[in-house]
Structure formats: structure tokens, C-alpha cells
Amino acid sequence: MPTAEKTLDEILTLAAAHFKVPREKLSPDDDFFKTLGIDSLQALDLLTKLENHFRVELPDYELQGVTDFRTLAGKIQIRL
Amino acid sequence: MRQFQGQTLSWDLHDGIIELTLHREPLNEISSSTLEELEKFVTSLDALSQDSHALILHCSLKSGFCAGADLRQLYGWIQEYGQSEVANHARQYLERIHAVMNALDAAPLTTIAAVHGVTFGGGFELALTCDLIIADKLARFCFPELRLGLIPSFGGIPRLKRDLGNAVVRDLLLTGRSFNTTKAQQIGLVSQVVGEGEVLRAARATAKQIGKFDPTTAVLAKRFIKPIPLDELRKEIDVFCELLPRPAVQAGLKKFVESTDAQPYLP
């Protein structure tokens, strides 16, 4: 199982690549809606990308109110 | 009418394949205008099917296949008709929607839903009328209706139960969660998964292959294996109309349609 730090790093890298944002502009505690400039539909794309990458299933109701990468990583980590 | 260009959708018949394309911004919310054009399409379907063997149902918008029913319109009906009359109005609308969905379900050709991105609620129900679903890797499926105090009402519950069984319906319906294409293929909902942006190409290749078969055999095989669950479809309309007038539904819809957050209101 990857460490929590590695999971978080992979999420940041994947989000940067998918939304074409420089990786160095993303920080763990950023509000990803604001930093990536995305809406809820694009957030669903990110969720799907993450599920495919980590091979997990993450019910979207668990992400209600989650807006930062670190909390998102924590939700994924407990399913790895 | 071999070709049609409407406000919410268009169709074109070419080389024995009908392509029905949804294109109502922002995400093909199914409204009265969509319904009118779908009715126009199913009225033309008998004539179209004389020269075709397959129908591809897809969406040309980048953000997804279809977000489902137009909830702003539904909320507007509650405002306009009040709690005492809204169920009657909704019932008339649902009778028309079900007639369209049943016609698509029983269409005398092989039907393929080519979906990507958001395939929610009524959009999911539309895809479920098709014989095959081919999905992009980023497609997501969901019945979010219970989160607003309702049930799906365009025939989704009986069709999903017909195709996959009761346990899958309960999971999706009672949690309101969405699931991705990988899961959809695992449970047998999706027949093919393709890369981003490739879904229409894959659907066309499949439709071309289907064209090699005897059309009469294909139609008879479909009728044999894909009965329309008419009794349950009737009950679905009844349950929806019973739920709709409740104040909790009105309150939930109000919060949803008035939300301006990046994450819209959903309990």
C-alpha cells in the first residue's frame, strides 16, 4: 500500500496533468475547485480519473464538502 | 425525414445507421422541448427503420451525455400548478416520456447508447432503453433522485432491474451514488469501454458489424430477449406522482436549483 504522502503526490500530479495546470502550482491544502478553476462536473471527471488510477471505488457522497487535495487523499488512502 | 436539425437534438440516416445526437446546452437536461423533438423522432422511426439496421444515440457536448430531467422545469411546475395539481401535470408529461422510451426500447433495429461523462438520472434512463451501452472511460452513471426525495421516473428502475437485477438497483437507488465505467462494465451494464473521445467511433464500428446480419433475425432476437416491463413502468409513474407534491421535495428542489456553489446542493 502506498504511503499517504505518495497518494497525495500522485493526486496532485494527476490533477495537474488532467486539467493542464503546472504541477508546482498545486499544494496539498489548496481548494481544488478554485486552484484548478473547475466546477462540479469537472470534479466528477477528476474523481473518475482517481478511481481508475488507484483502482478504488469512492462513493461521491463521501466527497460532499471535500474541497482540498489533502482531505481527498485521506478519503482515497483508507480504501487502498 | 432522413435528417432533422432541432433545438435540442438532431438525427441523420447514413449507410443504414441512424445517429441521434443530443445537443442542448448545458448538459442535455430533458425538458418539454427535448420531449417534443424525441416524439418527432419516434414518429419518424418506422419510416427510418425501413432503410436502417442500427441507431446510435449520443451527445455532441463535451461535458457529458445527459444530466437527466430538467429540474428547473420541474420546480417551475410546482410553483405554477401548486401541490394539489402538480402531480396531474407531471403524470401527463411522464405518460408522454414513457411512450417515447418504450418506442426506443422496442425500436425495430439494434440501438446503441454511446455515452461519455455525466450519464445521470433521465440521461441514464435514456441510455437504458438501448440494446447496448458503449462508454467512455470517464463516463459516470447515477440515479440521484432519492437525494431530492423522488425516484427516477423515465423508466429507469424497471429497465435496470430487467437488465441487471434488483440488488444493483437498490444500491444505486438507495445510496444515490454515482459509479464509473469500470464498475459499470463489471456489473454488465456497459458492453464496451473505450478511451476518452473514442465512444462514437466504437459505436459506429459496432453498428457497421451489426449491419452484416439478417435484419429480420436481429429484430426477432431482440423482441425475444428484451421484453418491456410494462406493469412496473406504470407503477413507477404512480410512485413518482405520489412523492412529487410533498413539501420536502419542493424544499429540496428549491435548494438545488437556487444553489450557486461549485458543488450544487445534494443531501
Side-chain angles (χ1 to χ4, degrees):
Chain A
M1 186 173 80
T3 63
E5 283 306 308
K6 186 167 188 316
T7 299
L8 178 56
D9 185 62
E10 287 181 25
I11 290 171
L12 291 166
T13 302
L14 204 142
H18 184 64
F19 293 108
K20 298 181 173 53
V21 173
R23 166 69 178 81
E24 59 275 14
K25 288 202 171 177
L26 302 182
S27 301
D29 297 312
D30 282 348
D31 180 326
F32 49 77
F33 286 101
K34 289 180 183 164
T35 310
L36 298 170
I38 61 174
D39 58 22
S40 60
L41 295 180
Q42 291 167 306
L44 277 177
D45 276 354
L46 177 61
L47 170 61
T48 308
K49 279 265 178 188
L50 295 173
E51 285 182 328
N52 289 340
H53 178 80
F54 290 105
R55 297 175 188 273
V56 294
E57 210 182 329
L58 196 55
D60 42 13
Y61 50 75
E62 285 206 9
L63 300 181
Q64 209 95 47
V66 174
T67 56
D68 66 278
F69 292 109
R70 192 184 301 279
T71 310
L72 176 60
K75 300 282 184 186
I76 290 174
Q77 187 69 18
I78 59 173
R79 289 177 177 267
L80 292 176
Chain B
M1 209 179 336
R2 296 173 74 89
Q3 275 187 326
F4 172 78
Q5 181 72 37
Q7 296 295 313
T8 68
L9 56 84
S10 59
W11 71 77
D12 180 42
L13 168 58
H14 191 70
D15 292 338
I17 300 169
I18 308 164
E19 291 189 6
L20 177 60
T21 310
L22 307 175
H23 50 64
R24 182 191 182 218
E25 298 274 5
L27 195 40
N28 289 316
E29 288 79 1
I30 298 172
S31 64
S32 296
S33 51
T34 315
L35 174 57
E36 283 165 19
E37 292 185 346
L38 282 170
E39 287 174 329
K40 196 184 286 270
F41 176 71
V42 298
T43 302
S44 306
L45 195 50
D46 273 347
L48 286 166
S49 63
Q50 300 299 314
D51 298 318
S52 58
H53 62 270
L55 162 66
I56 297 172
L57 176 54
H58 75 110
C59 161
S60 59
L61 305 176
K62 193 180 173 197
S63 45
F65 175 69
C66 176
D70 186 337
L71 296 180
R72 282 170 179 78
Q73 184 177 58
L74 182 60
Y75 181 62
W77 287 345
I78 296 175
Q79 304 293 100
E80 184 179 351
Y81 295 100
Q83 288 176 349
S84 58
E85 281 303 312
V86 70
N88 288 336
H89 184 76
R91 182 179 293 277
Q92 289 170 26
Y93 184 78
L94 291 177
E95 299 280 1
R96 289 172 58 199
I97 284 271
H98 275 236
V100 165
M101 296 291 196
N102 291 348
L104 289 172
D105 198 324
L109 32 68
T110 301
T111 55
I112 303 167
V115 307
H116 68 284
V118 168
T119 305
F120 281 16
F124 188 11
E125 295 176 287
L126 189 57
L128 283 167
T129 66
C130 292
D131 304 330
L132 305 172
I133 300 177
I134 298 176
D136 180 306
K137 273 199 295 193
L138 288 187
R140 286 195 86 84
F141 302 85
C142 182
F143 280 143
E145 288 83 356
L146 249 77
R147 299 171 85 157
L148 294 169
L150 292 168
I151 62 163
S153 57
F154 295 177
I157 299 172
R159 287 197 171 89
L160 192 62
K161 184 180 159 195
R162 171 190 67 187
D163 294 345
L164 298 183
N166 204 316
V168 176
V169 181
R170 291 198 304 273
D171 178 11
L172 279 182
L173 188 66
L174 299 178
T175 68
R177 73 186 178 111
S178 64
F179 65 85
N180 65 28
T181 306
T182 306
K183 170 87 171 181
Q185 192 176 38
Q186 282 170 356
I187 61 178
L189 176 70
V190 160
S191 65
Q192 294 177 47
V193 177
V194 298
E196 291 170 49
E198 294 296 323
V199 72
L200 187 56
R201 186 199 57 73
R204 284 172 177 158
T206 304
K208 191 175 173 188
Q209 167 66 14
I210 290 163
K212 296 174 185 170
F213 306 153
D214 171 50
T216 304
T217 309
V219 170
L220 287 176
K222 173 172 167 170
R223 280 190 195 144
F224 165 66
I225 202 68
K226 195 179 175 220
I228 298 181
L230 290 171
D231 288 345
E232 291 191 338
L233 287 166
R234 302 291 323 161
K235 285 177 191 162
E236 185 188 75
I237 294 177
D238 291 342
V239 174
F240 182 89
C241 291
E242 186 182 330
L243 293 169
L244 181 60
R246 293 177 313 138
V249 173
Q250 185 173 356
L253 283 171
K254 185 174 192 300
K255 279 188 185 175
F256 182 85
V257 301
E258 292 180 354
S259 170
T260 55
D261 292 345
Q263 287 179 298
Y265 166 79
L266 274 177

